């Protein structure tokens, strides 16, 4: 593939360009995927916290 920044020919699996250090387009896609899974992880944490709060409320009311 060619570097989007300096047009140097770099390996397909290269994460950054060896010549100018610019990240390849594939890295951008991976980063977007990471961001998506990160927000999903935050949603799961939110659900767990909500479930814990509901459990705590039920525990408090049932006593
Ligand atoms: Zn480059």
């Amino acid at each position: 593939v060619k570097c989007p920044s300096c047009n140097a020919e770099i390996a397909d699996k290269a994460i950054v360009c060896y010549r100018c250090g610019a990240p390849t387009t594939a890295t951008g896609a991976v980063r977007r995927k990471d961001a998506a899974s990160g927000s999903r992880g935050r949603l799961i944490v939110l659900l767990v916290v909500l479930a814990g709060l509901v459990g705590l409320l039920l525990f408090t009311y049932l006593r």
Side-chain angles (χ1 to χ4, degrees):
V1 289
K2 278 195 173 180
C3 171
S5 182
C6 70
N7 257 4
E9 194 67 37
I10 47 175
D12 287 359
K13 288 176 183 175
I15 299 164
V16 293
C17 172
Y18 69 91
R19 206 168 133 193
C20 69
T24 59
T25 49
T27 314
V30 169
R31 278 203 189 139
R32 273 195 294 277
K33 202 178 158 194
D34 283 351
S37 65
S39 66
R40 202 187 306 141
R42 254 175 277 149
L43 188 71
I44 289 165
V45 168
L46 191 72
L47 283 172
V48 168
V49 168
L50 275 172
L53 280 172
V54 169
L56 193 71
L57 273 172
L58 283 172
F59 184 74
T60 313
Y61 277 116
L62 288 173
R63 274 175 81 184

